[in-house]
């Protein structure tokens, strides 16, 4: 569509993504200079529609951004009052005492929240300050200046023909140009991938690492509800050969967030993350809580877990990577929203200084420095060896040695281990099927556990079916000839929404993509062993419509 003529709008700063990072950047820019022209583009049908997070929020980023957030009605209503960590066996559990956990793991002072609702509130604050926010506007393409710097984005393309061509009803969208463009797309953003490759931003960092997070909201029996309780587990059903674990957060209104994260560096292609989550809910401790309750929502999203050593260069000519686009989640704390907010603040301050000095389109080196040396760098540096240790030693070894490393750094301010490397990418970690045995998963009972397609209906996902498929295959022969033949077709299992399946046609297997089911988790883009799937944005407003995730 490069040959299409489009109208262009000029801004000081263009922000892609109305998550905590993008909205923090927008608010901070307006705090610094109310006359700056700032626009935020969001692919969800509304702000918050595509936000999925645990979430226990460390309010440090919000404290810094909007110190009087309580007076302004921020939806942080459930302070954490109880913190539990269990190692599960199939029918029992062992609690890890809180006093043995490093101090940074303490959730005192944090809040159980819906990040979707927090972002909705942040958007209201931004709009009151004069920020323009356009939901339903997917950014499908980047625009560059003649010198190679980022100029802006193409947003609002609608009505393409199924083959991607322009038809009579096509709306070509418009270009939005900025002195600086902030990419805050979340994990594995398609535009972020492009700029990381174009400017070689990952040249001096370790490989990125990811997990798949799946979450349900349950309404439970009031007698079983304990508002403010936070529980994490590891062990069963994944066992101690694969990384991952659960979270169970009691918010208000007798609701509980129940979630499971599976590290995507697993070796066995037969592993089925979604079914591990469903099986987890049958553990006696969890089943007792959920029995008699009702699941009211479901969703899934990839999670970054590479940590400090996997952060790419975050500033590039004309733009910056914010939040999970840069991979800022603190893995052992299972928290990244506070760092997303800090990154938005740091990027805004660097851009403001540059614009004030008459600059545009250059590299905001001050942002890169501030991110690594400020609150984000300090938060991530102390936990940098946890993910590599989990990968090398398994969850139990990672818990023991990683816990010691965090304690040691808390006391002595350095690590005996230095900075460990992650090794392979999550895609490369997948081994061929002949090295493993299929896993027999129990059938969902429809009460505590559910089949994927039933659960996807609780994500309110919708895609206009006549649009082009947004899941692009680099080679359409690879799924059957390589991934099915060598890896037993792992895409049929690693997708938490049932997008991919192998069906028999004329006696031969055929690969089918049900893109209408896609909840935009990006797992396929990460875990496909052949790296043959490229996730790009569907037209604006399509995808999940999460109410309170």
């Amino acid at each position: 569509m490069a040959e299409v003529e489009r109208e262009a709008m000029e801004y000081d700063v263009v922000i892609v993504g109305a998550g905590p990072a993008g909205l923090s950047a927008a608010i901070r820019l307006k705090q610094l200079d109310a006359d700056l022209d700032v626009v935020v583009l969001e692919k969800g049908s509304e702000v918050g529609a595509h936000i999925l997070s645990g979430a226990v929020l460390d309010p440090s980023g919000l404290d810094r951004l909007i110190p009087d957030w309580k007076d302004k009605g921020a939806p942080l209503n459930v302070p954490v009052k109880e913190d539990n960590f269990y190692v599960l066996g199939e029918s029992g559990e062992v609690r890890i005492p809180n006093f043995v956990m490093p101090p940074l793991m303490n959730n005192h002072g944090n809040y159980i929240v819906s990040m979707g609702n927090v972002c909705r509130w942040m958007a209201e604050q931004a709009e009151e300050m004069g920020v323009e926010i356009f939901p339903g506007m997917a950014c499908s393409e980047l625009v560059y200046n003649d010198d190679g710097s980022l100029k802006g984005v193409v947003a609002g393309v609608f009505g393409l023909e199924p083959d991607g061509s322009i038809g009579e009803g096509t709306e070509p969208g418009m270009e939005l140009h900025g002195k600086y463009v902030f990419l805050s797309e979340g994990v594995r953003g398609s535009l972020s991938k492009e700029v990381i490759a174009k400017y070689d931003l990952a040249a001096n960092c370790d490989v990125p690492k990811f997990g798949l997070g799946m979450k349900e909201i349950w309404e439970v029996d009031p007698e079983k509800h304990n508002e403010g309780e936070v529980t994490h587990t590891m062990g069963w059903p994944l066992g101690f050969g694969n990384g991952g674990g659960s979270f169970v957060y009691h918010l208000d209104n007798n609701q509980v967030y129940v979630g499971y994260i599976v590290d995507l560096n697993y070796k066995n292609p037969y592993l089925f993350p979604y079914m591990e989550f469903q099986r987890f809910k049958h553990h006696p401790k969890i089943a007792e809580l959920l029995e008699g309750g009702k699941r009211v929502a479901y969703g899934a999203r990839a999670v970054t877990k590479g940590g400090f050593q996997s952060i790419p260069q975050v500033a590039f000519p004309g733009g910056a990577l914010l939040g999970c686009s840069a991979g800022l989640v603190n893995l052992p704390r299972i928290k990244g929203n506070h760092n997303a907010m800090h990154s938005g603040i740091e990027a805004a301050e660097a851009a403001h200084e540059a614009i004030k000095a008459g600059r545009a389109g250059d590299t905001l080196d001050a942002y890169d420095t501030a991110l690594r040396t400020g609150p984000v760098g300090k938060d991530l540096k102390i936990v940098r060896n946890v993910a590599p240790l989990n990968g090398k030693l398994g969850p139990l070894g990672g818990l023991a040695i990683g816990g010691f490393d965090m304690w040691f750094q808390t006391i002595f301010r350095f690590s005996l281990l230095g900075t460990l490397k992650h090794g392979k990418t999550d895609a490369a970690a997948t081994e061929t099927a002949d090295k493993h045995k299929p896993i027999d998963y129990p059938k969902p009972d429809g009460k505590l556990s559910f089949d994927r397609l039933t659960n996807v209906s609780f994500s309110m996902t919708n895609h206009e079916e006549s649009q082009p498929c947004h899941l692009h295959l680099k080679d359409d022969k690879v799924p059957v000839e390589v991934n099915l033949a060598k890896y037993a077709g792992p895409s049929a299992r690693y997708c938490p929404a049932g997008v991919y399946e192998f069906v028999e046609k004329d006696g031969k297997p055929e690969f089918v993509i049900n893109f209408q089911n896609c909840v935009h988790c990006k797992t396929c883009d990460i875990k496909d062993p052949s790296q043959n799937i490229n996730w790009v944005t569907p037209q604006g407003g399509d995808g999940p419509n999460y109410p309170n995730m």
Side-chain angles (χ1 to χ4, degrees), residues 19 21 30 39 69-70 86 88 118 143 185 213 215 281 305 328 341-342 345 348 403 414 437 524 539:
K30 282 293 193 177
V39 65
W69 54 264
K70 283 186 181 179
Y86 294 94
L88 299 185
V118 171
V143 181
E185 303 173 283
K215 175 182 174 182
K281 290 181 291 177
K305 65 183 195 74
L328 306 183
M341 292 179 183
H342 283 303
I345 294 168
F414 76 97
K437 294 180 180 178
C524 55
Q539 69 182 20

Side-chain angles (χ1 to χ4, degrees), residues 420-457:
L420 299 177
K421 294 278 191 180
H422 291 300
K424 298 177 180 177
T425 66
D426 293 328
T430 316
E431 294 180 345
T432 53
D434 58 5
K435 296 180 180 178
H436 298 273
K437 294 180 180 178
I439 301 171
D440 184 23
Y441 289 99
K443 186 178 179 181
D445 68 354
K447 296 176 183 178
L448 297 180
S449 51
F450 312 96
D451 66 83
R452 273 186 300 187
L453 295 186
T454 298
N455 239 357
V456 169
S457 71

